[in-house]
Amino acid sequence: MTNISNAFKNKKAFIGFVVACDPNFEKSIDYVKTLADAGTDVIEIGVPFSDPIADGPVIQEAGLRAFKNGVSTKRVFEMVAKIREKTTVPLVLLVYLNNIFKYGYDKFFSACQQLNINGVIIPDLPVEERSEVAVFAKKADCSLIPLVAPTSGNRIKKIVAGTDGFVYAVSSLGVTGARDRITTDLDTMVSNIKRFTDAPIAVGFGIHSPEQAVEIAKTADGVIVGSAIVKIIAQEGTHAEEKLIDYVSNMKKALKQPETNRI
Amino acid sequence: MQNDLKKEQKAGRFGEFGGQYIPETLMHEIDRLVKAYNYYKNDPTFKKELTDLLHKYANRPSLLYHAQRMSKDLGGAQIYFKREDLNHTGSHKINNVLGQILLAKKMKKTRVIAETGAGQHGVATATVAALMGMKCEIFMGEVDTKRQSLNVYRMRLLGAKVHSVTTGTGTLKDAVNAAMQEWASRTEDTHYVIGSVMGPHPFPTMVRDFQACISAEIKKQLINETGKLPDAIVACVGGGSNAIGAFYHFIKDKDVRLIGCEAAGKGVDTEKHAATLERGTTGIFHGMKSIFLQNDDGQIDEVYSISAGLDYPGIGPEHAELAAQNRAEYVGITDDEAVEAFEYLAREEGIIAAIESCHAVAYVKKLAPQMSTDQIIVCNLSGRGDKDVAAIARYRGEKIYD
Ligand SMILES: Cc1ncc(COP(=O)(O)O)c(C=O)c1O
């Protein structure tokens, strides 16, 4: 059992996302701790990229704020080092491939191993190109979290082969950002994925409300919330603790409802 | 030998460059596109339809013109211009667009989207979309909509919707980002007509194939006229489509120098340039591994050129490989040199060429005098310059509004 799959043990996982150095270096460290203490089971930390083609406006703007605060890959590792002094919550980096490539695959994943970063999500790395990264990730005991899209169809089998963390099921086409309505048939999508892997499946992209979480958790093993959390931080700046705790508590409560946990 | 090696390589790779580095949401569609392209490129009906369109609609073959006054004035090599500026819509972009939209039609798409820098690719896409009865939306950086406002109106006239992209630097790379995002949200009825030899496989190969008619024609026309191969081919490079089109059928002719001209803007030692191969490093962006202008952290640079069509921080992967093998050379041409060539060509030969193409003309002006009068340079005039006249006038301090 990896640190990540442990987070799914006997419960539906709540996975939260923050952008590194938003609203600033120190505060984003505090917020990871806040989210963890409020019960977030896995925390994704976004490494800002100049051209985030998978991200919608909310996360793009957070990236711009982070750049103003001098974010860099090195700085993100410094941030995680501080986080690791405070919490053992499973951590996953969301990072575009060019940042890893320029840092050096070997050096990047060695840093992940040293800091106990448990997984990496690379939005622009499809299974076709995974092998050049996979050797380094494996050596560092760092899970490469595969993404499955509503359009993946017969690609699912090769995408999820060998998954040791969790599978990220992308709920909607397009970019990240809260959506009122998710039109994808998630039940079918999740059961299609389950045919090919025993790894837990978490659904993300556009999820923001407890109602959505209840619905999704009927079939999936967890929900991932990005833009909704980033939006709270955008609105509350350096005083977001209370709202973050409220938000996570509500989502956790929704995921604990008995109907959600029916197997 | 090299070509044998290439065959063993994964499709879509040029040495270490190329590949398919894009979000999973698009991979299903990319897989379909690869299959469709591999099928139709060998389909006699498709080939005939495309050739007919190129000949009867786009005005191909384009002329190969011996610029005698300029050759004499420069006192060296004989200069020939490949007149892509005389194509319908005024640039080489139409060659690729006809190919891709015909393919999209075969794939039962009803809507096309495209990015554009100078507006030439957007105009070509809007034109062919009108011709083939497809819906069309164009993404263009806000900065570019201002410096190429005439082309914006042209696209609208042709029935396209033009989105002004305000994110990032508001130029070509941001237009590509926006178009990719739009495509990721809607592939069912939509094809993304990428405008250069860039992006994930199959685009660099497919766009190259559609542009390769340029070098096929040059070879035939020049041998007919002179019985010889050229000594050098010179073309401007943004993403690299007109250049690879002009180079392609000469890559195996090792004695033909292949020279790509990048935008050096205000100089490669300033921060304001787009000279990717001179100042860039290997990276992964816009679906491909290639050379990019970027910082040590892998963040893509803001780039600059007077020419909206060369204002791109990357280059197609096949060029990156041609450069790595030293098969092609890449040189930087500044704004000043390009503008000077723009004026020179107008006066000397009566041709107003696109400011993009004038980067190649500027290098020809340097190269020709170093060569002998029995040598030949072919310069690809990728587009015509009407769109640039007002901007050049302003550059020279004239008060003209378009
Ligand atoms: C006339 C002209 N030439 C060249 C280019 C650069 O593109 P490429 O390098 O793909 O030929 C453009 C792009 O807009 C153009 O309009």
Side-chain angles (χ1 to χ4, degrees):
Chain A
M1 266 251 156
T2 64
N3 201 349
I4 294 180
S5 39
N6 251 328
F8 289 82
K9 211 168 156 189
N10 303 324
K11 63 172 178 288
K12 303 290 180 176
F14 175 71
I15 302 172
F17 170 88
V18 294
V19 171
C21 294
D22 172 37
N24 60 43
F25 181 78
E26 280 78 22
K27 247 345 201 195
S28 65
I29 296 168
D30 292 347
Y31 288 165
V32 170
K33 168 89 169 126
T34 306
L35 291 172
D37 290 348
T40 308
D41 299 295
V42 176
I43 297 177
E44 278 180 29
I45 299 175
V47 181
F49 182 48
S50 53
D51 296 82
I53 57 161
D55 286 306
V58 172
I59 292 174
Q60 281 193 28
E61 277 155 29
L64 293 178
R65 289 193 295 274
F67 280 122
K68 281 205 186 110
N69 295 323
V71 73
S72 65
T73 311
K74 190 163 154 276
R75 202 79 179 126
V76 175
F77 286 135
E78 288 167 10
M79 184 185 147
V80 174
K82 297 247 192 263
I83 292 169
R84 279 295 177 231
E85 291 167 10
K86 301 174 194 233
T87 169
T88 56
V89 69
L91 290 177
V92 170
L93 294 185
L94 190 138
V95 50
Y96 286 82
L97 187 56
N98 200 42
N99 292 121
I100 308 180
F101 181 79
K102 278 301 266 189
Y103 201 85
Y105 290 155
D106 204 1
K107 199 173 142 210
F108 182 93
F109 284 102
S110 298
C112 289
Q113 184 169 31
Q114 243 167 38
L115 294 166
N116 193 17
I117 291 169
N118 312 95
V120 171
I121 303 172
I122 309 171
D124 53 352
L125 183 73
V127 57
E128 277 73 4
E129 309 294 353
R130 198 189 284 159
S131 62
E132 70 181 75
V133 180
V135 271
F136 299 103
K138 199 170 171 69
K139 203 170 78 183
D141 245 339
C142 184
S143 302
L144 280 183
I145 310 295
L147 293 127
V148 174
T151 46
S152 293
N154 57 15
R155 298 173 45 80
I156 294 175
K157 187 174 172 190
K158 63 177 171 187
I159 293 172
V160 302
T163 302
D164 59 358
F166 65 93
V167 174
Y168 190 138
V170 176
S171 77
S172 311
L173 294 175
V175 295
T176 55
R179 290 164 169 79
D180 287 336
R181 230 164 51 87
I182 288 170
T183 51
T184 307
D185 177 359
L186 290 173
D187 281 3
T188 309
M189 185 175 167
V190 170
S191 37
N192 277 343
I193 300 172
K194 290 215 153 138
R195 282 168 50 210
F196 301 107
T197 181
D198 294 329
I201 298 165
V203 175
F205 264 53
I207 318 296
H208 59 106
S209 71
E211 293 73 26
Q212 285 173 319
V214 171
E215 207 38 50
I216 287 166
K218 281 181 192 163
T219 42
D221 306 299
V223 298
I224 305 168
V225 173
S227 296
I229 292 175
V230 173
K231 207 166 174 176
I232 293 174
I233 295 172
Q235 282 162 358
E236 306 298 320
T238 52
H239 304 282
E241 278 88 352
E242 207 175 310
K243 289 258 165 75
L244 289 174
I245 292 168
D246 275 0
Y247 183 79
V248 174
S249 313
N250 282 333
M251 292 300 272
K252 285 291 286 186
K253 215 183 311 163
L255 291 171
K256 273 198 193 115
Q257 285 177 15
E259 56 174 310
T260 346
N261 288 301
R262 235 178 17 213
I263 308 290
Chain B
M1 195 40 210
Q2 249 147 16
N3 279 305
D4 289 349
L5 280 179
K6 260 192 187 148
K7 261 183 218 140
E8 285 166 34
Q9 242 174 18
K10 234 172 113 179
R13 284 281 171 180
F14 306 92
E16 71 168 306
F17 303 110
Q20 297 181 305
Y21 301 90
I22 45 154
E24 173 60 23
T25 38
L26 278 169
M27 278 310 295
H28 166 80
E29 184 61 22
I30 290 288
D31 284 348
R32 287 192 58 206
L33 185 61
V34 169
K35 279 204 195 85
Y37 180 59
N38 284 338
Y39 174 79
Y40 284 109
K41 75 176 182 196
N42 299 315
D43 175 46
T45 316
F46 180 84
K47 289 196 328 203
K48 175 160 190 328
E49 281 173 18
L50 181 56
T51 307
D52 275 358
L53 284 165
L54 288 169
H55 287 207
K56 293 172 186 166
Y57 187 71
N59 201 25
R60 299 210 73 84
S62 67
L63 298 175
L64 185 70
Y65 164 71
H66 185 187
Q68 298 191 38
R69 269 176 61 86
M70 188 171 157
S71 306
K72 196 159 164 225
D73 181 59
L74 295 174
Q78 299 308 306
I79 297 156
Y80 285 78
F81 286 118
K82 181 60 173 164
R83 299 291 308 273
E84 293 299 301
D85 59 317
L86 297 179
N87 296 343
H88 181 40
T89 71
S91 81
H92 68 293
K93 299 283 179 186
I94 191 93
N95 306 330
N96 166 43
V97 169
L98 280 168
Q100 281 198 50
I101 299 190
L102 190 62
L103 181 65
K105 195 100 189 165
K106 302 280 179 205
M107 293 175 76
K108 308 246 176 331
K109 305 289 180 188
T110 54
R111 177 174 176 262
V112 289
I113 57 173
E115 87 292 344
T116 196
Q120 291 303 97
H121 176 59
V123 167
T125 305
T127 299
V128 178
L131 175 71
M132 301 203 190
M134 296 242 203
K135 288 195 267 298
C136 178
E137 292 184 33
I138 303 293
F139 294 82
M140 188 169 185
E142 190 184 27
V143 172
D144 293 339
T145 60
K146 292 200 175 116
R147 53 181 169 177
Q148 299 290 348
S149 55
L150 193 61
N151 270 344
V152 174
Y153 191 71
R154 223 171 248 153
M155 290 182 263
R156 285 169 40 208
L157 204 58
L158 291 158
K161 185 168 171 190
V162 181
H163 299 273
S164 166
V165 178
T166 55
T167 49
T169 51
T171 59
L172 185 53
K173 108 181 142 75
D174 310 288
V176 174
N177 293 346
M180 276 202 185
Q181 292 198 339
E182 170 64 22
W183 202 29
S185 72
R186 188 168 166 187
T187 51
E188 199 49 36
D189 64 346
T190 301
H191 175 69
Y192 175 16
V193 186
I194 292 187
S196 192
V197 280
M198 43 156 294
H201 176 65
F203 285 101
T205 302
M206 177 170 73
V207 177
R208 190 252 347 255
D209 291 350
F210 289 143
Q211 292 293 1
C213 57
I214 300 174
S215 49
E217 287 174 13
I218 293 174
K219 208 168 203 175
K220 206 166 141 197
Q221 290 165 321
L222 194 67
I223 287 176
N224 266 344
E225 189 165 330
T226 68
K228 292 199 290 191
L229 291 182
D231 295 280
I233 302 199
V234 182
C236 67
V237 180
S241 68
N242 87 87
I244 207 77
F247 293 173
Y248 186 65
H249 289 284
F250 295 101
I251 292 176
K252 286 186 203 145
D253 301 312
K254 293 282 156 25
D255 294 334
V256 180
R257 282 176 70 187
L258 307 175
I259 305 166
C261 303
E262 302 188 307
K266 304 217 185 276
V268 289
D269 295 321
T270 70
E271 295 210 321
K272 295 195 142 246
H273 66 82
T276 307
L277 282 174
E278 276 160 289
R279 286 291 185 271
T281 55
T282 306
I284 297 164
F285 181 48
H286 281 166
M288 57 186 173
K289 188 177 282 176
S290 190
I291 307 291
F292 298 95
L293 291 165
Q294 55 182 329
N295 70 13
D296 293 341
D297 205 36
Q299 309 296 349
I300 304 301
D301 282 347
E302 291 191 17
V303 295
Y304 163 84
S305 162
I306 188 173
S307 136
L310 303 184
D311 200 350
Y312 182 68
I315 187 163
E318 193 165 6
H319 284 291
E321 178 62 8
L322 288 174
Q325 290 182 4
N326 291 318
R327 175 62 192 95
E329 310 153 53
Y330 296 85
V331 297
I333 295 294
T334 63
D335 285 359
D336 281 345
E337 291 170 324
V339 170
E340 207 273 313
F342 181 89
E343 294 165 339
Y344 176 82
L345 187 63
R347 278 197 318 269
E348 206 66 34
E349 291 288 346
I351 298 172
I352 297 176
I355 190 65
E356 287 79 14
S357 321
C358 290
H359 285 69
V361 177
Y363 191 68
V364 169
K365 286 186 64 197
K366 297 186 194 181
L367 182 64
Q370 302 166 24
M371 294 167 67
S372 65
T373 51
D374 60 351
Q375 289 187 297
I376 295 171
I377 300 173
V378 175
C379 175
N380 199 35
L381 279 193
S382 56
R384 66 189 214 197
D386 315 38
K387 68 182 177 59
D388 300 309
V389 170
I392 301 296
R394 286 196 294 271
Y395 188 84
R396 288 301 188 207
E398 309 251 347
K399 290 197 170 60
I400 279 192
Y401 299 94
D402 55 0

